[in-house]
Amino acid sequence: MTALGELRALSAPRGMQSAREKAARGRDNKAAAIFLAPWLIGLIGITLGPMLMSLYLAFTNYNLLQNPQFTGLENIQRMLGDERLGASLLVTAIYVLVSVPLQLAVALALAILLDRGVRGLPLYRSVFYLPSLLGASVAIAALWRLVFGGQGLLNALLSLFGIQGPAWIAEPQTALGTLIVLHVWTFGSPMVIFLAGLRQIPRELYEAASTDGAGRWRQFRSITLPMLSPIIFFNLVLGLIGSFQTFTQAFIISNGTGGPADSTLFYSLYLYQEGFSSLRMGYASALAWLLLIIIAAFTAVNFWAAKYWVFYND
């Protein structure tokens, strides 16, 4: 009920108050429904509707050109014998388990450095945050090809020292590493969050630890990490979810093939190939739900393990 409606209801007799209150509540409910309508339409039409349709297609044979044909568990059985699916899971697992911890370590190190009172902090914070905005773009992925190509900028730099570098993105041993470096380079977002968390740690704790003779490393282990553990947990969960869905970088660098030798065949890229290149949309839908289950499982494990290492002030 609005403030004006409440004043009118208070000034009216008791018998009329209840009627006016009901009318005012009805008007407020209608207004709330009108404002919520766009969100509800989007939730049903853009999120829930496609999700349910995808769940149905996961049990069908559908090529975008003909009507879906229900096939039961055929797509799930196919997953069990799909060698490229296994390869994509392995590549994605290596990418996630290596790139996410490295990115968080770099972000935390730079946040600690900036927290010491560097001049021009707003400028540094903006410059370091910029890669997070651009890292997933097609332009940066194309730039990465120029940097790590056989005649790229990195090899040109190495040649100045008499070193003949390989074609980094064309070698199975190094192609995935270039994408890991690209992911670590987009450390800006977790760094800004770490920096905000560091500003919330009471300085009295460091002063007391210094008085007791604790060095910087001991202060970092006993104060910074425990007090920052909720922020680390938050960045870890977001980093894992985002890394599992990485697509653009691998698509651009490998020209959509996942090569060389499937060394950059991320799960999302393989899903795209099955759905839009091979027109096996039913199988791609099943792969999408498997990805959802994998991400949900990793997230659940993180939340379960958080009680053993995440420290909350209360």
Side-chain angles (χ1 to χ4, degrees):
M1 184 183 297
T2 61
L4 183 59
E6 290 181 358
L7 291 175
R8 289 176 177 174
L10 291 173
S11 62
R14 287 187 178 180
M16 298 179 60
Q17 282 183 12
S18 59
R20 290 185 177 180
E21 286 177 0
K22 291 180 181 179
R25 289 195 188 98
R27 288 193 297 269
D28 290 343
N29 290 338
K30 289 179 181 179
I34 292 173
F35 282 110
L36 286 173
W39 179 83
L40 289 173
I41 294 172
L43 175 65
I44 297 172
I46 300 177
T47 304
L48 292 181
M51 283 183 65
L52 293 176
M53 187 62 184
S54 173
L55 181 60
Y56 166 70
L57 292 177
F59 298 97
T60 66
N61 180 16
Y62 181 46
N63 60 7
L64 293 177
L65 303 176
Q66 300 172 342
N67 293 329
Q69 298 178 353
F70 186 79
T71 57
L73 301 179
E74 182 178 315
N75 288 328
I76 298 176
Q77 292 173 353
R78 181 182 173 187
M79 287 182 188
L80 299 177
D82 192 342
E83 294 182 0
R84 294 200 77 205
L85 172 59
S88 68
L89 285 172
L90 178 60
V91 169
T92 305
I94 295 173
Y95 175 79
V96 171
L97 296 177
V98 175
S99 66
V100 172
L102 282 178
Q103 185 192 60
L104 294 184
V106 171
L108 179 57
L110 286 173
I112 293 174
L113 181 64
L114 294 178
D115 188 51
R116 294 181 178 177
V118 179
R119 284 187 177 182
L121 176 60
L123 174 62
Y124 284 111
R125 189 164 50 196
S126 301
V127 171
F128 287 150
Y129 184 72
L130 192 60
S132 291
L133 298 177
L134 303 176
S137 66
V138 174
I140 294 299
L143 176 63
W144 223 246
R145 292 187 62 179
L146 295 177
V147 172
F148 289 97
Q151 305 297 324
L153 298 178
L154 179 59
N155 284 344
L157 179 62
L158 292 176
S159 65
L160 298 178
F161 301 93
I163 301 174
Q164 181 64 39
W168 302 91
I169 61 174
E171 297 290 338
Q173 296 81 7
T174 56
L176 181 59
T178 62
L179 293 177
I180 291 175
V181 172
L182 175 55
H183 183 79
V184 174
W185 179 67
T186 60
F187 58 81
S189 180
M191 184 207 69
V192 171
I193 298 174
F194 278 138
L195 185 58
L198 288 169
R199 295 298 176 88
Q200 301 303 315
I201 301 178
R203 296 296 150 184
E204 295 81 3
L205 298 177
Y206 293 104
E207 295 173 0
S210 180
T211 302
D212 291 340
R216 289 187 178 274
W217 175 244
R218 181 59 185 274
Q219 292 178 23
F220 175 75
R221 289 191 298 111
S222 302
I223 299 176
T224 305
L225 283 182
M227 297 296 291
L228 209 61
S229 57
I231 307 298
I232 297 174
F233 173 67
F234 175 78
N235 280 331
L236 176 62
V237 171
L238 289 186
L240 286 173
I241 294 174
S243 297
F244 271 111
Q245 301 177 72
T246 301
F247 170 78
T248 305
Q249 300 92 320
F251 182 85
I252 297 298
I253 286 181
S254 68
N255 288 321
T257 64
D262 286 346
S263 59
T264 59
L265 185 63
F266 287 176
Y267 190 96
S268 56
L269 178 56
Y270 180 58
L271 189 156
Y272 170 85
Q273 290 178 353
E274 288 295 313
F276 295 97
S277 298
S278 302
L279 294 183
R280 290 190 282 262
M281 190 58 68
Y283 187 56
S285 297
L287 291 174
W289 279 94
L290 177 59
L291 178 61
L292 174 64
I293 293 172
I294 292 173
I295 293 176
F298 269 84
T299 305
V301 169
N302 276 322
F303 273 91
W304 171 80
K307 60 184 178 182
Y308 296 106
W309 63 276
V310 177
F311 171 79
Y312 293 100
N313 240 351
D314 54 354

